[in-house]
């Protein structure tokens, strides 16, 4: 250090030799695909929030959709199912196309899958049952995906309280749904950074991914503790009270929140469906 | 005019379908160019009108029925290429879900109703309209031009539906000439050109043609009055667009509720008898007396709601339900297509 000018430290041999290293090409498909699928899910969650918000109260909507699905599967008269499908399609006529694509992609895929499963029935002389089941599956899946796209998840969990579901379940569900998004984004960032830093061929990709997953797990444990502390600091007593819910409705009454007219109309439709079901079966 | 399964030989169907492929390709290409993303749902509405129009059966003395198609209407509103696609989708829904028109005969039906009808109708419409359509600035001029547009649309639709009927009659008529079994009996449609052409054309030159004209002119006049912005070439803001669609949806709802009127017409359209009916069909005084063998052993497709009805229920309920489902599907399909399109921005404006 002191007599720096007189004695140069010897340059290591390896620094002087020209480096002929060119990294073997890696297809990178593994990490790339994982990133893409993760992003797809995250996008879906994000888009579902902003595209369209239903004016129905979440609890009523959930109850109604479950009721309609049960009725359609219990019905032995296909006319009833067709009526329900006609109602669903009519509702869908007034929705934006991006949303329709999501809804019917799910519905048609599920219907095709169930048709495939029931294909043997067609060969054993029951082609009608294949059709019936596929149509009912189409109806159930489409209406569920319509609901899940039209009602934001946080509203839905708040609505669950109406059914007297224990607080602990709602809290868990609520936190899970919120953290799917946050942790998903965390995982995505880690994956992206792994991809950017990796040079050459990675022969143990599964360990990479398991490392990422492990990090996400640790992070989630840390975050859950912090969140819980934060919630208690802000006065959370473990109760998902109803006053919470009504206060929100009161503040949001002018804007996008639920409207009485839409709720009444939905109730009327449900009543009509029940009457039709009793009449036809 | 929907040719059912097994009335045409499979080879005829294949030829017609192959003939239809370039038309579809051309129509899709052109529509991609000339129809913007926010105008795409309008094609669905046109398809829905066509679907509903085909449900209004009009009776003709003598026991047959016919209906309007509405292809020229779509052509006048959106251009012949969009009309081709919209009628094709309406026909596809009818064939797959309601058993109206055969699956194998789909190509032939499209050739008649989705290709010949809108293009001929549009050609006549343009011919009559001439160059006047461009000069519509003053209010008085607008009025006069609207009248002229309606006349042109009416004439176009009349020409279009008759062209389609003539083609269908020829397709029916060549079957007994080309395809017979060992005994000399026709395999498929049993009537030659000398019977099929008069039978089809008498109906379409008179009452069914009139029905098409009334349907086209009435709805065209409604569009001109209720939402003229749809006709404007320039693309509008999306808010205005949905406002313009509202009267159309209202009209569709009224038409759907009125569809059971189409059930008043008893009897089957010419050339659309079922395999069980055909041996009893009387033409020029003699009963046919046999069922062509190609019909009994041919391809059969079990549709979900054959003949727009559902077993064990009043016909009216089934008919309205079918109309609702068909119309909603038309609208939804084009909404989804529109969502898949890229936003096109015209930098020339």
């Amino acid at each position: 250090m002191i007599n720096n000018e007189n004695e140069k430290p010897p340059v290591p041999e390896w620094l002087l030799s020209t480096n002929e290293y060119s990294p073997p090409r890696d297809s990178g498909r593994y990490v790339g695909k994982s990133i893409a699928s993760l992003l797809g899910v995250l996008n879906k969650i994000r888009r579902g929030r902003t595209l369209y918000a239903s004016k129905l109260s979440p609890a009523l909507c959930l109850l109604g959709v479950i009721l309609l699905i049960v009725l359609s599967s219990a019905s032995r008269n296909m006319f009833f199912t067709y009526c329900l499908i006609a109602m669903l399609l009519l509702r869908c006529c007034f929705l934006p196309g991006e949303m329709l694509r999501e809804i019917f992609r799910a519905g048609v895929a599920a219907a095709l899958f169930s048709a495939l499963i029931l294909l043997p029935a067609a060969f054993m002389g029951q082609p009608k049952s294949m059709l019936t089941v596929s149509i009912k599956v189409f109806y159930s899946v489409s209406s569920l995906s319509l609901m899940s796209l039209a009602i934001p998840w946080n509203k839905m969990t708040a609505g669950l309280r109406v059914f007297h579901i224990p607080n602990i379940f709602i809290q868990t569900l609520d936190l899970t749904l919120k953290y799917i998004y946050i942790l998903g984004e965390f995982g995505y960032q880690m994956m992206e950074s792994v991809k950017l830093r990796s040079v050459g061929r990675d022969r143990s990709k599964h360990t990479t991914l398991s490392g990422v997953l492990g990090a996400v797990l640790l992070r989630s444990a840390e975050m859950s503790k912090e969140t819980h502390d934060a919630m208690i600091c802000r006065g959370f007593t473990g109760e998902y009270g109803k006053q919470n819910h009504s206060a929100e409705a009161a503040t949001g009454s002018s804007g996008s929140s639920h409207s009485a007219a839409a709720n009444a109309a939905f109730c009327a439709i449900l009543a009509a469906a029940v009457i039709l079901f009793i009449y036809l079966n | 005019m929907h040719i059912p399964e097994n009335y045409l030989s499979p080879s005829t169907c294949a030829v017609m379908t192959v003939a239809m492929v370039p038309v579809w390709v051309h129509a899709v290409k052109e529509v991609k160019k000339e129809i913007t993303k926010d105008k795409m749902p309008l094609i669905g509405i046109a398809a829905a009108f066509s679907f509903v129009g085909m449900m209004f059966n009009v009776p003709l003395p003598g026991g047959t029925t016919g209906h309007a198609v509405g292809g020229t209407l779509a052509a006048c509103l959106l251009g012949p290429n969009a009309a081709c696609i919209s009628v094709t989708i309406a026909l596809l829904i009818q064939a797959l879900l309601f058993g109206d028109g055969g699956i194998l005969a789909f190509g032939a039906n499209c050739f008649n109703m989705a290709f010949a009808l809108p293009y001929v109708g549009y050609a006549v419409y343009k011919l009559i309209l001439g160059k006047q359509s461009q000069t519509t600035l003053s209010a008085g001029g607008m009025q006069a031009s609207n009248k002229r547009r309606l006349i042109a649309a009416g004439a176009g639709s009349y020409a279009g539906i008759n062209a389609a009927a003539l083609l269908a009659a020829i397709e029916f008529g060549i079957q007994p000439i080309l395809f017979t079994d060992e005994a000399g009996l026709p395999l498929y449609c049993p009537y030659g050109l000398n019977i099929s052409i008069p039978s089809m054309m008498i109906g379409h030159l008179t009452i069914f043609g009139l029905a098409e004209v009334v349907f086209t002119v009435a709805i065209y006049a409604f569009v001109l009055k209720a939402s003229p912005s749809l006709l404007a070439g320039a693309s509008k803001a999306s808010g205005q667009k949905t406002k313009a669609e509202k009267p159309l949806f209202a009209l569709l709802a009224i038409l759907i509720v009125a569809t059971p009127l189409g059930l008043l017409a008893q009897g089957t359209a010419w050339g659309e008898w079922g395999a069980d009916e055909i041996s009893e069909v009387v033409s020029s005084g003699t009963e046919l007396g046999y069922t062509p063998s190609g019909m009994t052993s041919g391809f059969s497709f079990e549709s979900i709601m054959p003949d727009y009805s559902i077993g064990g229920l009043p016909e009216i309920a089934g008919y309205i339900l079918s109309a609702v489902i068909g119309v909603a599907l038309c609208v939804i399909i084009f909404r989804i297509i529109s969502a898949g399109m890229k936003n096109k921005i015209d930098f020339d404006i």
Side-chain angles (χ1 to χ4, degrees), chain B residues 205-223:
Chain B
L205 282 171
T206 55
I207 298 196
F208 310 148
L210 191 69
E212 171 85 348
V213 171
V214 169
F215 182 78
T216 306
V217 172
I219 294 180
Y220 197 48
F222 181 84
V223 172

Side-chain angles (χ1 to χ4, degrees), chain A residues 77-79 82-83 85-90 92-101 104 128 131 135 279-280, chain B residues 37 249 256 302-306 310-311 313 317-318 321 324-325 327-329 331-332 335-336 338-341:
Chain A
N77 192 329
M78 275 318 271
F79 180 74
Y82 289 136
C83 282
I85 289 182
M87 275 193 310
L88 176 72
L89 292 180
L90 268 189
C92 287
C93 275
F94 301 96
L95 294 176
E98 286 85 359
M99 203 170 151
L100 293 179
R101 205 165 41 172
F104 289 108
K128 276 272 175 217
L131 206 61
I135 288 173
Y279 174 71
L280 287 174
Chain B
K37 182 182 161 94
F249 275 120
I256 287 173
E302 199 67 28
S303 61
I304 299 172
M305 292 180 252
I310 295 146
L313 274 158
L321 191 66
V324 170
I325 292 180
V327 164
L329 276 180
V331 173
I332 288 173
R335 281 259 154 110
I336 293 178
S338 152
M341 282 170 78

